[in-house]
């Protein structure tokens, strides 16, 4: 009996391919093109050490590097902290507006302005509280003042996702600077059905990636500027919940990974004015089982994901590696896995995924959900773990 089960499992893995031995949730769905899912496993066999750079950070969410060699790290509960080179955490940076930290909400991403060295501006995203438990994703900026009691000054909330919803889920959000100096804000559709149904509705900012200027104004060359009934902030639409995004350094395009339901996490290249399909088309099935919307995965006029996972990884954090410390990983795309508690490495060729590898599978103590992944100025890979006593792990080559 045991032999039979093992044999059956082995056959299944062979048929399905890819790194994940689990069967798909949507057994009858077919990818739109070869290797759109379950790309062949590609082990790079890079030998590296995992160093705990910092520990004791409560539910860290976003991480960025200051020119001084220090780091800024957000804690979901609403605290921003400065991490000294020796790993000590500052008191919370004062001056940030309140967040609604229920459920998936809180203080989320943090980035420096491209000219931070001269203007000391930092930007962060968060879930903004309103009366009656209504919330929305928002983006603020402020002048960062370091010191024994660090603070932000001249704080302005430059973007509010609208409408606010009575939901504590699917806020997105990552902040990514475009090469032209505009800022992409990736968002979610707030999970509840009335939110989900707005992801392709153009008078709503739910389920959209928006593109704004550094002061929150609208770039004149946004795709829907001047169109009646369409929010001019919109860059792309039909998204579910995007917690991973970065520019592809070789093309300058915005890559993102969004959470699907059971079996629909997907990588997209978010292009100007395009419709990414949610909730009309989707891979996977509903959480409670059964088809999503009409149960279709393709439709004319809607973009196909570059890649999808069924079962899901629950993605958060994203990085194209460009450093010199790991030559074998140059050009690799890294994505954090919350559910899979590992770091996903992908081989990218001509805007397609051609190989997959799972790293950090053996990091103790388990489980260590991966919330963010960044490249440090030293070329090391930094990983945030999503725990009450979260850590910043640093991947360095073994000496
Ligand atoms: Ca999609």
């Amino acid at each position: 009996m045991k032999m039979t089960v093992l044999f059956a499992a082995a056959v299944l893995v062979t048929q399905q391919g890819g790194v994940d031995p689990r069967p798909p949730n949507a057994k009858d769905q077919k990818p739109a093109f070869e290797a759109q899912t379950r790309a062949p496993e590609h082990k790079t066999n890079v030998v590296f050490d995992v160093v705990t750079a910092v520990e004791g950070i409560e539910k860290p969410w976003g991480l960025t590097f200051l020119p001084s060699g220090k780091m800024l790290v957000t804690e979901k509960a609403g605290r921003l902290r400065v991490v000294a080179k020796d790993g000590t955490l500052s008191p919370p940076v004062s001056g940030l507006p309140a967040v609604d930290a229920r459920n998936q909400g809180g203080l989320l991403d943090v980035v420096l302005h491209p000219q931070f060295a001269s203007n000391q501006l930092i930007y962060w995203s968060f879930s903004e509280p309103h009366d009656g438990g209504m919330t929305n994703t928002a983006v603020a900026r402020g002048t960062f003042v370091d010191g024994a009691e660090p603070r932000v000054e001249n704080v302005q909330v430059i973007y509010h996702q609208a409408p606010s919803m009575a939901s504590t889920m699917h806020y997105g959000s990552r902040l990514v600077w475009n090469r032209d100096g505009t800022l992409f804000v990736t968002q979610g559709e707030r999970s509840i059905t009335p939110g989900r149904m707005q992801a392709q509705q153009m008078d709503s900012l739910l389920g959209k990636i928006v593109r704004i200027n550094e002061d929150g104004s609208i770039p004149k060359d946004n795709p829907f500027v001047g169109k009646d009934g369409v929010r001019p902030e919109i860059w792309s639409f039909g998204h579910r919940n995007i917690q991973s995004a970065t520019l592809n350094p070789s093309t300058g395009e915005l890559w993102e990974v969004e959470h699907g339901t059971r079996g629909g996490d997907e990588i997209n290249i978010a292009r100007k004015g395009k419709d990414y399909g949610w909730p009309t088309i989707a891979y996977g099935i509903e959480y409670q089982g059964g088809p999503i919307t009409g149960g279709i995965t393709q439709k004319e006029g809607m973009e196909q994901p570059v890649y999808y996972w069924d079962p899901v990884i629950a993605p958060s954090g994203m990085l194209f590696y460009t450093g010199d410390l790991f030559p074998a990983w140059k050009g690799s795309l890294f994505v954090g896995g919350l559910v899979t508690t590992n770091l996903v490495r992908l081989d990218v060729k001509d805007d397609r995924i051609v190989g997959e590898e799972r790293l950090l599978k053996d990091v103790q103590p388990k489980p260590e959900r991966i919330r963010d992944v960044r490249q440090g100025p030293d070329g090391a890979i930094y990983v945030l773990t999503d725990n009450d006593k979260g850590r910043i792990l640093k991947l360095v080559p073994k000496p």
Side-chain angles (χ1 to χ4, degrees):
M1 184 63 192
K2 206 171 185 181
M3 284 298 287
T4 315
V5 171
L6 280 175
F7 178 71
V11 168
L12 201 59
V13 171
T14 314
Q15 284 172 348
Q16 290 168 188
V19 301
D20 199 326
R22 297 173 294 171
N25 292 284
K27 293 178 180 57
D28 301 327
Q29 287 176 354
K30 297 273 180 292
F33 50 85
E34 201 188 330
Q36 193 187 20
T37 189
R38 296 184 186 264
E41 180 162 37
H42 176 204
K43 284 190 179 163
T44 46
N45 298 315
V46 170
V47 183
F48 59 89
D49 281 327
V50 180
V51 180
T52 300
V54 186
E55 55 193 344
I57 319 170
E58 190 187 325
K59 291 264 173 195
W61 213 97
L63 169 70
T64 196
F65 299 87
L66 291 162
S68 62
K70 296 179 179 180
M71 293 180 266
L72 289 176
V73 62
T74 60
E75 289 179 308
K76 191 183 150 310
R79 294 177 296 263
L80 175 68
R81 291 185 190 273
V82 187
V83 184
K85 284 185 201 168
D86 66 0
T88 40
L89 292 170
S90 76
V93 174
S94 62
L96 277 77
V99 304
D100 187 322
R102 291 175 295 160
N103 228 327
Q104 295 177 351
L107 182 59
L108 306 172
D109 209 11
V110 59
V111 294
L112 307 186
H113 185 282
Q115 280 86 49
F116 174 85
S118 56
N119 63 21
Q120 286 82 52
L121 282 175
I122 65 170
Y123 288 67
W124 62 93
S125 62
F126 63 106
S127 44
E128 185 175 53
H130 298 283
D131 290 346
M134 303 287 276
T135 63
N136 55 269
T137 303
V139 178
R141 70 170 181 177
T143 309
F144 175 67
V145 184
D146 203 359
E149 292 181 348
R151 63 185 190 276
V152 279
E153 294 178 345
N154 310 315
V155 172
Q156 298 171 288
V157 182
I158 60 164
Y159 173 75
H160 310 263
Q161 188 187 38
S164 306
M165 301 295 279
S167 165
T168 53
M169 308 277 281
H170 292 196
Y171 293 98
S173 59
R174 293 289 171 186
L175 303 176
V176 180
W177 291 102
N178 197 8
R179 284 182 179 166
D180 62 7
T182 58
L183 181 67
F184 290 117
V185 184
T186 75
Q187 306 178 110
E189 36 65 301
R190 314 306 316 285
S191 179
I192 54 175
T193 302
R196 174 192 281 202
M197 299 321 287
Q198 292 179 39
Q200 289 170 300
Q201 195 179 305
M202 303 306 279
D203 59 354
S204 159
L205 294 172
L206 308 192
K208 311 296 188 304
I209 294 175
V210 298
R211 175 176 176 255
I212 56 176
N213 290 318
E214 61 178 281
D215 60 357
S217 62
I218 314 292
K220 290 184 175 61
D221 59 348
N222 263 5
F224 302 107
V225 166
K227 291 220 166 113
D228 275 353
V230 183
R231 295 289 304 226
E233 297 92 335
I234 297 173
W235 171 259
S236 59
F237 59 105
H239 299 291
R240 187 167 179 271
N241 188 25
I242 309 173
Q243 298 185 342
S244 313
T246 191
L247 284 198
N248 181 330
S250 51
T251 64
E253 290 194 293
L254 179 67
W255 283 53
E256 55 93 347
V257 194
E258 53 192 83
H259 286 247
T261 54
R262 272 171 63 194
D265 286 356
E266 51 182 54
I267 301 181
N268 292 294
I269 305 172
R271 293 185 167 129
K272 186 175 184 174
K274 297 288 187 187
D275 178 357
Y276 289 84
W278 179 257
T280 305
I281 59 170
Y283 291 94
I285 58 174
E286 292 283 10
Y287 286 117
Q288 68 274 24
I292 298 160
T293 317
I296 57 168
T297 58
Q298 301 184 34
K299 191 166 182 178
E300 203 174 329
M302 297 182 195
E303 302 300 303
Q304 277 297 309
V306 167
Y307 195 66
Y308 69 88
W309 285 275
D310 180 6
V312 298
I313 61 168
S316 192
M318 189 173 188
L319 158 73
F320 276 99
Y321 186 72
T322 59
D324 295 321
L325 278 190
F326 297 104
W329 290 346
K330 223 166 199 168
S332 287
L333 176 62
F334 290 87
V335 180
L338 290 163
V339 163
T340 48
T341 64
N342 57 25
L343 182 62
V344 179
R345 192 197 63 81
L346 300 154
D347 296 310
V348 181
K349 189 166 181 265
D350 301 330
D351 288 344
R352 291 279 168 90
I353 304 303
V354 296
E356 180 170 353
E357 181 177 20
R358 300 282 173 98
L359 304 167
L360 298 181
K361 287 188 284 197
D362 305 318
V363 174
Q364 295 299 327
K366 279 281 177 193
E368 285 275 72
R369 290 156 48 90
I370 307 298
R371 175 57 79 186
D372 199 8
V373 50
R374 306 271 175 163
Q375 181 178 316
D378 54 358
I381 293 176
Y382 291 77
V383 167
L384 276 188
T385 72
D386 176 51
N387 275 325
D388 290 338
K389 289 180 179 170
R391 297 191 284 168
I392 300 176
L393 304 175
K394 184 176 171 183
L395 278 57
V396 288
K398 239 189 202 337

